[in-house]
Amino acid sequence: MKAQPAASHFIDGEYVEDTDGAVIESLYPATGEVIARLHAATPAIVEKAIAAAKRAQPEWAAMSPTARGRILKRAAEIMRERNRALSELETLDTGKPIQETTVADPTSGADSFEFFGGVIAAGLNGDHIPLGRDFAYTKRVPLGVCVGIGAWNYPQQIACWKGAPALAAGNAMVFKPSENTPLGALKIAEILHEAGLPKGLYNVIQGDRTTGPLLVNHPDVAKVSLTGSVPTGRKVAAAAAGGLKHVTMELGGKSPLIVFDDADLDSAIGGAMLGNFYSTGQVCSNGTRVFVSRKVRDEFLSRLKTRTEKIIIGDPLDEATQLGPMVSFDQRQKVLSYIDKGKAEGATLITGGGIPNHVTGEGYYIQPTVFADVTDGMTIAREEIFGPVMCVLDFDDEDEVVDRANATEFGLSAGVFTADLTRGHRVADQLQAGTLWINSYNLCPVEIPFGGSKQSGFGRENSLAALEHYSELKTVYVGMGPVEAPY
Ligand code: NAD
């Protein structure tokens, strides 16, 4: 099998197998071929991983920040040296085109290790608080054993975006990738250990929705960071609340992208296409409700249709391919059923809407699809589709579009394209979302915080903000004189 790892799990610095676990077949989405066969973690494997993490964490936290940072930065270097092989694996795992994975997946994971390695080496320092004769100081302390649970759209990136700040802050991690994409995280674990990470600090175990709760409910786990859908987020947050655990929730969205009539239309169309078709539309922050000023709507749609129909769909391992298959048969069925609903509820299909007939074989391909005349109440305008389906809605004025953009339970991201920067900032200020873009879309460098508001979650990944979510403040009051007691 093309991508069979040495074993299903990576625990305490080595590959571990337990064939009692349910079989997880990893399918290459472009062909449906089984490329690896793994086993879900049994309760014994879960225990082993958490015990290894618990044992290793205190010593790691006691190491000098410079030494910890050096290891993370070395892992970043190895990831960059192996970018091609890691990208090919990511393509096999997800079906995303190699032209994307080589620039967006291992590289963004490496950025995260480099950034947090540098930050921790520079010091995660506390404050000194003068109190007259007395004083206090604060220090940021690690939480202990952190659990990361990943979605299938950016398996390597998610494994790094959770692992890097967790390790930098002095924690140990047990990471469970999505059952759809089990392969990449194992390589991240291997690389971290090759870079010098002491064993037990970054463990990967496989499993599905039945395995996750074993991790979340475990009494030795201090924190859970989930990337997944809103319904899963509700379950995981509720379970974590039972143990009063820290949580970061990176959940779904139905983000608005607003195009005003003064916008540079080619940039706005490019932004909308990237924000709907990149990774075959499987991006949480996608701007799937594209509000276009009625004054430029026809021109926008005509240029968008031309550009969309030129997208090269094909073999993800071919450098020329711009759009690969969806991650799974089920996900494609879900997206096709939303397309049917869009048609049935009266949206106008501008392009796409089905399975491309020039791609043969068993792959889970789907056409990039644009609907126009979408109204706020339509199912395709309200629910997260998580596929390459762009909904274009018309609007007339700023106040109206802001109200409509905010009329959703989600609040992950939002974007605005306009030549009027005052308006750009004014609208960004009013949109309810965790991450916003003006005249750009979906760029998430490690330096900026990323995360959602409303039902899209809480907590932030990346940037210095992420470290706050993987550590807590300890305050020490120091009395410098005699204690004056009234009794
Ligand atoms: P999902 O919610 O089905 O699964 C996510 C992960 O949670 C998987 O690893 C799954 O095995 C695990 N899981 C499921 N039930 C669980 C439970 N009860 N307890 C513990 N773990 C459980 O999501 P998905 O289909 O893998 O990914 C797509 C979703 O993820 C979309 O909604 C997308 O918007 C969201 N997403 C969000 C971000 C973000 O950063 N905000 C990024 C990527 C994807």
Side-chain angles (χ1 to χ4, degrees):
M1 261 172 287
K2 256 187 196 150
Q4 185 68 35
S8 300
H9 319 289
F10 192 98
I11 300 174
D12 215 3
E14 59 185 24
Y15 277 99
V16 177
E17 193 55 273
D18 181 349
T19 51
D20 286 347
V23 171
I24 295 177
E25 281 193 333
S26 170
L27 307 180
Y28 180 37
T31 59
E33 178 194 350
V34 178
I35 52 167
R37 205 164 270 125
L38 299 93
H39 293 272
T42 54
I45 286 287
V46 171
E47 283 303 326
K48 193 176 165 73
I50 291 176
K54 189 179 174 189
R55 195 213 61 244
Q57 188 267 329
E59 218 171 299
W60 172 244
M63 269 171 72
S64 85
T66 309
R68 272 193 273 144
R70 194 181 304 129
I71 291 169
L72 300 186
K73 286 188 276 179
R74 177 70 193 124
E77 279 167 21
I78 300 175
M79 285 188 75
R80 292 216 173 87
E81 284 158 16
R82 296 196 196 145
N83 186 44
R84 182 73 203 183
L86 287 168
S87 301
E88 282 173 7
L89 183 67
E90 191 77 337
T91 289
L92 290 174
D93 222 0
T94 61
K96 296 196 289 181
I98 195 81
Q99 68 161 243
E100 278 189 25
T101 52
T102 46
V103 299
D105 293 274
T107 48
S108 64
D111 284 353
S112 157
F113 284 122
E114 184 170 3
F115 178 85
F116 287 106
V119 167
I120 197 63
L124 184 60
N125 301 327
D127 290 320
H128 173 269
I129 305 163
L131 298 166
R133 181 191 63 184
D134 296 348
F135 67 93
Y137 60 90
T138 60
K139 56 196 277 191
R140 285 229 149 250
V141 295
L143 302 173
V145 177
C146 299
V147 160
I149 300 178
W152 39 255
N153 57 344
Y154 279 81
Q156 291 183 28
Q157 181 188 81
I158 294 170
C160 297
W161 279 16
K162 299 194 189 303
L167 292 170
N171 303 284
M173 172 151 278
V174 179
F175 184 80
K176 188 198 83 61
S178 162
E179 57 275 30
N180 282 321
T181 51
L183 305 175
L186 291 167
K187 283 285 165 207
I188 306 299
E190 250 184 64
I191 287 171
L192 276 164
H193 287 81
E194 197 179 326
L197 188 74
K199 56 189 194 169
L201 288 166
Y202 189 89
N203 309 280
V204 174
I205 67 161
Q206 306 297 340
D208 59 12
R209 62 191 60 244
T210 59
T211 319
L214 300 178
L215 292 168
V216 177
N217 293 321
H218 199 288
D220 289 337
V221 168
K223 183 203 165 100
V224 181
S225 176
L226 168 80
T227 298
S229 61
V230 173
T232 303
R234 289 199 183 102
K235 283 183 210 143
V236 172
L244 288 178
K245 292 173 187 177
H246 296 248
V247 282
T248 294
M249 290 286 149
E250 293 291 351
L251 308 177
K254 189 76 195 176
S255 301
L257 195 165
I258 302 173
V259 181
F260 285 98
D261 58 351
D262 60 352
D264 171 346
L265 267 201
D266 281 332
S267 287
I269 292 165
M273 290 175 75
L274 283 166
N276 277 272
F277 303 145
Y278 206 69
S279 294
T280 320
Q282 304 161 118
V283 180
C284 52
S285 49
N286 270 354
T288 47
R289 289 183 296 143
V290 182
F291 291 92
V292 181
S293 163
R294 212 179 295 275
K295 292 183 192 148
V296 292
R297 175 233 187 237
D298 290 349
E299 184 62 23
F300 183 93
L301 284 173
S302 137
R303 287 197 224 169
L304 171 64
K305 177 174 158 64
T306 306
R307 284 173 67 173
T308 301
E309 288 172 356
K310 285 191 187 146
I311 289 177
I312 301 167
I313 308 174
D315 174 1
L317 288 166
D318 181 340
E319 299 284 347
T321 294
Q322 296 170 321
L323 193 96
M326 305 224 57
V327 77
S328 66
F329 179 82
D330 288 351
Q331 187 63 19
R332 182 177 67 177
Q333 289 310 106
K334 186 179 151 194
V335 176
L336 287 171
S337 78
Y338 273 113
I339 291 172
D340 287 344
K341 276 186 198 143
K343 291 180 194 160
E345 291 179 18
T348 307
L349 185 65
I350 298 293
T351 185
I355 296 172
N357 50 23
H358 69 283
V359 183
T360 52
E362 297 300 310
Y364 317 128
Y365 287 92
I366 191 164
Q367 288 173 318
T369 297
V370 177
F371 278 112
D373 305 315
V374 178
T375 54
D376 299 345
M378 288 180 187
T379 309
I380 54 169
R382 285 186 290 108
E383 296 182 11
E384 183 184 47
I385 299 174
F386 221 58
V389 180
M390 188 193 304
C391 295
V392 178
L393 304 93
D394 309 331
F395 75 91
D396 292 303
D397 75 68
E398 185 181 316
D399 289 344
E400 168 218 329
V401 76
V402 167
D403 284 347
R404 290 170 58 201
N406 284 337
T408 167
E409 60 170 353
F410 298 107
L412 188 56
S413 305
V416 46
F417 277 86
T418 176
D420 177 349
L421 269 186
T422 310
R423 171 159 65 188
H425 289 290
R426 187 171 61 233
V427 169
D429 197 44
Q430 294 175 82
L431 291 174
Q432 297 162 351
T435 312
L436 298 103
W437 290 273
I438 299 174
N439 293 334
S440 170
Y441 204 78
N442 259 358
L443 295 177
C444 292
V446 67
E447 293 88 348
I448 67 170
F450 179 76
S453 61
K454 294 159 83 176
Q455 297 292 300
S456 295
F458 36 81
R460 292 292 178 265
E461 296 201 301
N462 291 342
S463 78
L464 297 178
L467 290 172
E468 290 174 20
H469 298 288
Y470 282 101
S471 61
E472 61 192 355
L473 266 189
K474 181 179 253 188
T475 308
V476 180
Y477 185 108
V478 183
M480 296 294 288
V483 173
E484 288 168 17
Y487 35 74

